[in-house]
Each structure stands twice: as C-alpha cells, then as structure tokens.
C-alpha cells in the first residue's frame, strides 16, 4: 500500500493511493497515518478495505508528510562510503546518530525556506524508515519486522550552522521546512530489499545526486538494531538513513541553495518530491 496524508497544514487527513494513482480518503476508516495505525494488524485491516469505494480526493489537493505526530526524527550521518569521501571524513566504526527537530517536518512539495543568516543551505536525498511497533534491543535478523514502511526524505542542512556553530549537528539540521517527508508511506511488503533502491536529486534540472542504497555503510537492519540498543523506537518514529554523494558541499566549487531554486528528488518505488526554495 501507498499511504499518505492530504489537506491543509495542520489539518491533514489520512489517504491511500488507488491502482490508478488517484488519492482516496481514509477518514472514515482511520483518524490519521500515525502511531497505532502503523501496526501490522492495523495495516492488514487497511489492506482489506475496498479502496474503489472510498471518496476521491481532488488531484490538486496538498499532500502533507506521509506520517503524522512523529515522536522522534532520527538521522544517520556519513552512512554512504562515497558521500563520506566527498565530505573528507572517515567512515565511522558505528552509526553516527543525530536528531532533527520534528518542527522541521513539512509535506513533500511544500516550500523550503532558507533560514536567516544562512550561507550554506544544502540538499540530501535519503531513504526514510517509519516504525510500526516498538523496537527495543532487537537483533539485525528481526529488525525489518518492526518497519511499517519506507519513504523519501530531503534532509536539508545548513552546513555553516552544522559544522561551525559549536556542538552537535542539530543546529544545521532543524530549521523550519528542513524535513520534507513523503509523498507516500510505502508499506514494507512493497519494498522487499531496502538495500537496492536507486535514488536521485536535481536542482534546477541538473542532477547532482544519482545513487543507490546499495552503497550504504550500515544497512537499514543494522541501523535499527544499533539504535534500539540505546533507545526504544516507537510507532511513527522516523529514521533518515543517510545520503549518497552529490551534495552541494561536495561540489567543486561548493554549490548551495538560493531563493528561486527548484529541487526534485525521488527514490524508486517511493515517489517524487518537488520543492521551491525561498528566503526565510
């Protein structure tokens, strides 16, 4: 299934994509795409729904983040060998973890704002992982059983804030609009191998990132198992698993986003995001 949330900011409703690519409203079936709705049992009940009988949603309706009420937005740094090389950083011995403020989350096609005093706002296409049940001290072998589904994330970053403003990376990762998620939450049964997904990102029609989850340093199962040793992962929590090479910081010369730019990014089978960039 491809689940989504549609409607105005703060008033999104649950939806599902039908076989013809139309959005159907799920409001009379579930309250939202979040928390308990993401359990295996709940998703099984949704699969039994006759989607063709659900109300159609207008094609021009705004699409919100594909998961609501996110408790934790966890990111993995330097998780692609080729991206670590372009960043001039060594591959870590274990996953590098940082958090992104949940207030950064927006819809996949919402406008991205460059924060005040920014000089190095950058892009990062990433595979998102959304949890369907609590994961605590899980093994790699069982890790993927805790996943409700996968999605596209643009892990936007302000490199000067991230690297030169003291402390952890969170300052450069958490500006409002720095977390587009979606368009779809694609349930795990439709993604048999999360380590074999082509992904790309373009700015103004130029393809900067053209990679694959094949080059992850730590695969999805490893990341989940590792995180679960330090914290419980709850239904609706999101992991952004790292980016392939081609970020603005890695260009020669370095290239960063500016007002008027247009981004397009996608992951095979998980949909496409498109964002306009404006001054914040």
């Amino acid at each position: 299934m491809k689940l989504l949330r549609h409607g105005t900011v703060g008033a999104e409703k649950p939806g599902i994509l039908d076989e013809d690519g139309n959005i159907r409203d799920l409001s009379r079936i579930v309250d939202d795409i979040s928390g308990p709705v993401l359990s295996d049992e709940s998703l099984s009940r949704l699969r039994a729904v006759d989607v063709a009988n659900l109300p159609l949603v207008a094609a021009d309706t705004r699409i919100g983040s594909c998961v609501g009420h996110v408790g934790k937005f966890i990111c993995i740094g330097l998780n692609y060998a080729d991206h670590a090389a372009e960043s001039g950083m060594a591959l870590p011995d274990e996953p590098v973890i940082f958090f992104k403020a949940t207030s950064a989350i927006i819809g996949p096609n919402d406008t991205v704002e460059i924060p005040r005093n920014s000089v190095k706002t950058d892009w990062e296409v990433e595979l998102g992982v959304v949890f369907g049940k609590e994961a605590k001290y899980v093994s790699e072998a069982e890790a993927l059983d805790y996943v409700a589904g996968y999605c596209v994330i643009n892990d936007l970053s302000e490199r000067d804030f991230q690297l030169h403003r003291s402390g952890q990376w969170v300052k450069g990762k958490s500006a409002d609009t720095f977390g587009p998620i979606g368009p779809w939450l694609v349930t795990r049964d439709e993604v048999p191998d999360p380590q074999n997904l082509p992904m790309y990102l373009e700015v103004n029609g130029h393809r900067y990132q053209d990679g694959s989850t094949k080059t992850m340093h730590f695969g999805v199962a490893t990341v989940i198992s590792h995180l679960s040793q330090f914290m419980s992962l709850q239904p609706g929590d999101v992991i952004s698993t790292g980016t392939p090479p081609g970020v603005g910081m890695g260009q020669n010369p370095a290239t960063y986003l500016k007002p008027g730019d247009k981004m397009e990014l996608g992951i095979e089978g998980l949909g496409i995001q498109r964002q306009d960039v404006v001054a914040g």
Side-chain angles (χ1 to χ4, degrees), residues 85-96:
E86 75 171 349
S87 302
M89 300 180 185
L91 283 170
D93 293 329
E94 58 183 52
V96 173

Side-chain angles (χ1 to χ4, degrees), residues 133 136-147 221 224 228:
K133 59 182 177 180
K136 187 174 182 179
Y137 301 122
V138 303
S139 68
E140 287 190 32
E142 62 182 340
L144 297 185
D145 295 340
Y146 292 81
V147 175
I224 292 171
S228 77

